[in-house]
Amino acid sequence: MPTMFKLILFFVTAFAFVNATHAEPQWQTHESIYEAVKAYVAQNINTTAEYEINIVPLASRLNLALCEQPMEVFTPNLVKAGRVAVNVRCSTGKKWAIFVPVIITPFENIVVLTQNMQHGDKVTEHHVALARKNVTQLHNNYITDITQVINKQVSHNLPAGTVVTQKDLFEAKLIKRGDHVMMTSSNSGIAIRMSGIAQSDGSRGQVIRVKNQNSERMVNATVVDTGVVDVIH
C-alpha cells in the first residue's frame, strides 16, 4: 500500500474518532435527573395514597457536567405530599449540586354526595359514591368507607358533589322517647327478651333509660338497632 494512501487513511480514521468522541454527551441531561428524582420519591415517600409527581423544570440554559458515577439523590426529611426540594449532586469529576422542586399530589377514593341533601335527611347508598379526589387540602378530613355514612343523618344542607366529613353527619335516632322496644339481656349464658318503653331518644351505641313493662323497673340499656336495646347489668 503506498505511503501517501496510508497517511490519508490514518488522518481520515483519526478525524472520525475525534468526531465520535465529540458526539458523546458532555452534559447531564435534565431528563436523566428527573428520572432519578422520580425513582427516589417512589422509594421514600411517606404515604399509602396514590399520588402524582410533577417536577418543576430546570432552567433550559443550565448545563451540568455528565456525572461519571450514579448521581446522589436525597432529602433531609421524609418525603411527604406537597412541595418538596430534592437534592441531586454529582461527587465525581466536575462536581455539582442542585435542588429539584417536586410537587407531590396525593389522591384517594373518598365519599362524596351524588345528590343534594337537606338537614336531617338519612343517608342511603343512593346518596353517596366513591370518587377519586386530590386530598392535599383536606388534611385527612374525609371518609373512604361508604359504610361509615349509611343510615346517618346530615347536620346541614349539602349540595351534590360535597366531600362528606364526620362533621356533616350525626347518628340517626333509632329509638324515640315513648317507643316500645325489645330489651335483650344475657346473664350467666341465658338470653332473655322483654318488652320495654324508651324514656328518651337514642342513637346506636347510646345508653338510655328503659322501663320494663312487666316489672316497671327502670334500667339502663344500650341502643343496638331500631327498636332494640341491650340491658346493662
Side-chain angles (χ1 to χ4, degrees):
M1 181 181 293
T3 301
M4 182 61 69
F5 182 77
K6 289 182 178 179
L7 287 174
I8 293 173
L9 181 62
F10 171 79
F11 283 118
V12 169
T13 304
F15 180 76
F17 175 78
V18 170
N19 278 351
T21 301
H22 284 296
E24 293 178 1
Q26 300 180 34
W27 311 113
Q28 190 75 44
T29 66
H30 291 185
E31 288 72 19
S32 67
I33 295 173
Y34 300 156
E35 289 304 315
V37 168
K38 289 180 181 178
Y40 174 83
V41 169
Q43 293 174 1
N44 295 276
I45 191 167
N46 185 30
T47 182
T48 57
E50 295 181 19
Y51 59 88
E52 291 181 358
I53 301 175
N54 290 295
I55 296 178
V56 178
L58 299 171
S60 58
R61 64 181 180 278
L62 178 64
N63 292 323
L64 301 168
L66 184 64
C67 201
E68 298 173 358
Q69 299 294 327
M71 294 173 286
E72 298 175 42
V73 186
F74 60 95
T75 54
N77 303 306
L78 289 174
V79 179
K80 298 181 179 179
R83 191 180 182 94
V84 179
V86 179
N87 298 266
V88 182
R89 71 185 178 194
C90 177
S91 300
T92 60
K94 294 182 179 179
K95 300 178 182 180
W96 50 262
I98 58 172
F99 290 101
V100 179
V102 178
I103 301 173
I104 302 172
T105 306
F107 289 85
E108 288 211 52
N109 291 320
I110 61 178
V111 179
V112 299
L113 292 183
T114 57
Q115 53 189 282
N116 299 336
M117 296 196 73
Q118 304 296 316
H119 173 265
D121 286 349
K122 183 182 289 188
V123 181
T124 72
E125 60 184 9
H126 302 295
H127 295 115
V128 290
L130 291 177
R132 187 173 183 269
K133 294 282 187 180
N134 176 352
V135 296
T136 303
Q137 303 299 324
L138 298 182
H139 307 293
N140 292 321
N141 191 22
Y142 52 86
I143 300 169
T144 58
D145 184 356
I146 286 181
T147 62
Q148 293 184 8
V149 305
I150 299 300
N151 292 326
K152 291 188 177 180
Q153 292 176 274
V154 296
S155 57
H156 49 278
N157 296 346
L158 297 171
T162 296
V163 173
V164 182
T165 70
Q166 293 294 353
K167 292 181 179 179
D168 298 322
L169 307 169
F170 62 90
E171 289 285 352
K173 298 297 183 183
L174 299 181
I175 293 174
K176 294 183 179 180
R177 181 179 180 180
D179 281 355
H180 289 267
V181 297
M182 176 64 70
M183 303 165 60
T184 63
S185 176
S186 296
N187 196 2
S188 300
I190 301 175
I192 302 173
R193 292 187 177 184
M194 303 159 283
S195 297
I197 300 176
Q199 303 300 296
S200 62
D201 297 348
S203 303
R204 189 185 305 276
Q206 187 176 355
V207 176
I208 63 172
R209 298 283 285 172
V210 180
K211 182 178 181 180
N212 187 319
Q213 280 189 288
N214 295 328
S215 66
E216 297 191 351
R217 178 188 172 194
M218 300 293 292
V219 297
N220 291 327
T222 303
V223 177
V224 176
D225 205 340
T226 303
V228 181
V229 299
D230 187 36
V231 175
I232 299 174
H233 295 284

